[in-house]
Amino acid sequence: MILYNVTVNVEQAIEQEWLQWMQNEHMLDVINTGLFQTAKVFRLLNIEQSEGTNTYAVQYFAKNQEDYDTYERDYADALRQNHLEKFGNRTVAFRTLMEEV
């Protein structure tokens, strides 16, 4: 199992719009690639937030590295661009990849 984690710092002014869009559109678009089995979103509680922002972890679970690599090669750029066009610099994201042991 591969966990693709996207940690996103979101301005509070757009937080509810962003969260709704993520849950109802973007995460479904990622799942609909057929390369991830499930996705979850969490709000981080135990970190110091920048003033006016909250941080979320969006997690996608793939069966194997090959599925993740296919996602990165064939889908990731377009989906990231869609996010950027919708929210611009009002969010900041960083990505990590983990393997279940």
Side-chain angles (χ1 to χ4, degrees), residues 1-84:
M1 175 76 59
I2 298 293
L3 169 58
Y4 171 47
N5 184 82
V6 183
T7 303
V8 186
N9 191 271
V10 181
E11 288 183 11
Q12 288 176 350
I14 63 160
E15 183 175 7
Q16 290 309 309
E17 176 189 1
W18 177 85
L19 187 57
Q20 184 176 29
W21 180 80
M22 285 296 292
Q23 292 174 319
N24 297 322
E25 294 183 42
H26 185 76
M27 292 171 68
L28 294 175
D29 290 342
V30 174
I31 291 295
N32 287 335
T33 66
L35 299 166
F36 295 95
Q37 297 174 329
T38 189
K40 297 179 180 185
V41 63
F42 298 89
R43 186 167 56 90
L44 277 67
L45 299 176
N46 66 340
I47 66 165
E48 188 173 321
Q49 301 288 349
S50 299
E51 187 172 326
T53 66
N54 279 315
T55 302
Y56 289 83
V58 184
Q59 299 183 337
Y60 302 97
F61 298 85
K63 287 185 300 187
N64 53 48
Q65 182 73 41
E66 183 180 335
D67 284 353
Y68 170 78
D69 292 342
T70 300
Y71 169 78
E72 277 294 313
R73 182 185 65 237
D74 297 343
Y75 298 96
D77 288 343
L79 289 167
R80 289 176 189 152
Q81 182 62 34
N82 190 20
H83 185 274
L84 182 62

